[in-house]
Amino acid sequence: MDKLHITGGTRLNGEVTISGAKNAALPILCASLLTADTVTLHNVPALNDIGTTLRLLKQLGVQSDHSKDGIVHLDASQVTSLEAPYELVKTMRASILVLGPLLTRFGEARVSLPGGCAIGQRPVDQHIKGLEAMGADIKIEHGFVVAKATRLKGTAIRTDMVTVTGTENLMMAAVLAEGRTTLENAAREPEIVDLAELLNKMGARIQGHGTDQIIIDGVERLHGASHQVVADRIEAGTFLCAVGATGGEIMLRQAAPHTMGAVISKLEEAGLTIECGDDWIRGSMSKRPRATGFRTREYPGFPTDMQAQLMALNTIADGTAVIVENIFENRYMHVQELGRMGAQIDIDGHTAVVTGVPQLSGATVMATDLRASASLVIAGLAAFGETTVERIYHLDRGYERMEEKLRSIGAQITRLQEAA
């Protein structure tokens, strides 16, 4: 398995181009199943999760190509299978997003229960509850969600909790359903908005996306469209945390600062100087960070996907920060690894108390999930000495060429490839 070797203590200075958002691209790729026409996507990042999704779509009969410039053409005119097998689904929870499109367009689907990062249960019961309310007959058989419906019927659906993938799945199912579907307690994330904008380009009739009530009037069919995936707000936030930890100045190009209000606010509280334009962010840091507490919340609150990175920044901050993780019950696995580098973090249930130390020391650490990987990279960049981050296949699921982008702004970071 590949590793990252980091020599810390170098200030970061320069420009980074932000990639398309993984969490927007995955449902958008699955939306290609809703039409027999070609869907063309721009700004699709080259990530392991994207590759897994394209392999899953190929298994279903979708023809696709992903060019080096981030353009993907998808043709689902010849879908030959309605089953998403365990071998492809087990590594990525977002695979459940083929369920709604397959069911609403073809009347049936057989999708393996998903896997992904081990950060919490993240059950799919809300997806099933919503589809059943629309008239689907659903059974769990031998580890598969088996769903059938003649034609889904629009209805009012209120999920028991705010669920991003649940909102996406139900929204895609509703676009070809008969009548009006109202999603109450809907997720408001920018990635939901991006998916809805693509669907509307394809002929869907969706309104209210970006609020907690989304209204979808079903149509008979969708057509092809071209769409640019929104910039990755989590990647942008990660690079801002990195410059906050090391000092220096960074310019982020092709960013989407309008999606990052909570993150930018907290980073300014930590001491970064941040300027924003329509599609760029400049961040600079010339002093020790200030301890900054926060609670993770559904959008527009502080994102759980940035918790580990801001925690890493807090490990070297002046003062004590209290962090509360409200989204996932098992998302502090990076704490033990940060402790190996000298961080002082106490955990009590969902609460982490981080007492900043003047400096971390390099160590060999192990990534346990996607965002934990990023936090260890940030810690390594700020630490004295050398750090090796193992199991970076997690990192490759969600960050496009991260070590190359960091090297371009002065980081001493190298990927070490182990022989098989």
Side-chain angles (χ1 to χ4, degrees), residues 319-333:
T320 298
V322 177
I323 297 170
V324 181
E325 173 56 63
N326 289 306
I327 307 299
F328 293 125
E329 71 276 6
N330 196 24
R331 204 161 201 179
Y332 284 143
M333 291 188 291

Side-chain angles (χ1 to χ4, degrees), residues 115-400:
C117 281
I119 57 175
Q121 294 185 19
R122 305 199 285 186
V124 298
D125 60 318
Q126 298 302 303
H127 305 235
I128 293 171
K129 173 185 172 183
L131 291 172
E132 286 179 334
M134 297 171 74
D137 176 41
I138 300 180
K139 297 181 176 65
I140 306 296
E141 296 178 351
H142 310 294
F144 281 83
V145 179
V146 181
K148 294 184 179 181
T150 47
R151 186 182 181 189
L152 296 176
K153 290 183 166 51
T155 188
I157 301 169
R158 181 177 181 85
T159 53
D160 297 335
M161 64 189 77
V162 177
T163 161
V164 174
T165 53
T167 299
E168 291 165 343
N169 230 342
L170 296 175
M171 188 164 65
M172 287 191 284
V175 294
L176 293 178
E178 180 182 341
R180 170 169 287 190
T181 299
T182 302
L183 301 181
E184 301 278 359
N185 201 27
R188 300 163 61 183
E189 272 70 5
E191 295 78 20
I192 301 277
V193 174
D194 207 36
L195 172 62
E197 289 178 354
L198 165 68
L199 293 171
N200 281 343
K201 289 178 184 177
M202 295 168 67
R205 297 169 61 193
I206 303 172
Q207 55 186 314
H209 40 292
T211 76
D212 61 3
Q213 183 187 72
I214 301 175
I215 299 171
I216 307 107
D217 290 305
V219 297
E220 290 292 331
R221 66 178 296 274
L222 296 182
H223 52 71
S226 179
H227 182 75
Q228 175 149 325
V229 176
V230 69
D232 193 327
R233 60 194 172 103
I234 305 302
E235 184 192 23
T238 299
F239 277 99
L240 289 172
C241 281
V243 80
T246 64
E249 182 173 314
I250 191 171
M251 170 65 83
L252 303 179
R253 300 289 186 188
Q254 296 182 29
H258 67 281
T259 68
M260 296 177 60
V263 171
I264 289 172
S265 176
K266 281 297 172 184
L267 289 174
E268 289 178 330
E269 193 177 315
L272 274 84
T273 299
I274 297 177
E275 301 174 72
C276 300
D278 289 342
D279 62 354
W280 58 266
I281 305 170
R282 179 184 290 111
S284 61
M285 191 69 156
S286 58
K287 56 193 174 186
R288 185 181 180 189
R290 290 190 295 268
T292 306
F294 60 93
R295 294 171 173 264
T296 61
R297 297 284 187 197
E298 294 87 358
Y299 192 85
F302 191 89
T304 181
D305 278 355
M306 280 299 303
Q307 176 255 105
Q309 298 92 308
L310 188 49
M311 180 185 284
L313 181 59
N314 272 311
T315 62
I316 56 169
D318 183 15
T320 298
V322 177
I323 297 170
V324 181
E325 173 56 63
N326 289 306
I327 307 299
F328 293 125
E329 71 276 6
N330 196 24
R331 204 161 201 179
Y332 284 143
M333 291 188 291
H334 48 284
V335 168
Q336 181 176 346
E337 301 304 302
L338 289 170
R340 290 175 51 78
M341 302 177 71
Q344 294 185 16
I345 307 170
D346 295 312
I347 301 293
D348 183 8
H350 292 274
T351 302
V353 179
V354 186
T355 303
V357 298
Q359 190 168 49
L360 299 175
S361 58
T364 297
V365 291
M366 182 180 69
T368 52
D369 62 70
L370 170 53
R371 305 308 172 184
S373 309
S375 75
L376 297 177
V377 170
I378 291 167
L381 292 170
F384 173 75
E386 299 184 351
T387 296
T388 300
V389 183
E390 299 185 338
R391 291 193 180 179
I392 60 166
Y393 59 84
H394 291 292
L395 193 76
D396 294 336
R397 289 185 53 224
Y399 291 93
E400 185 177 38

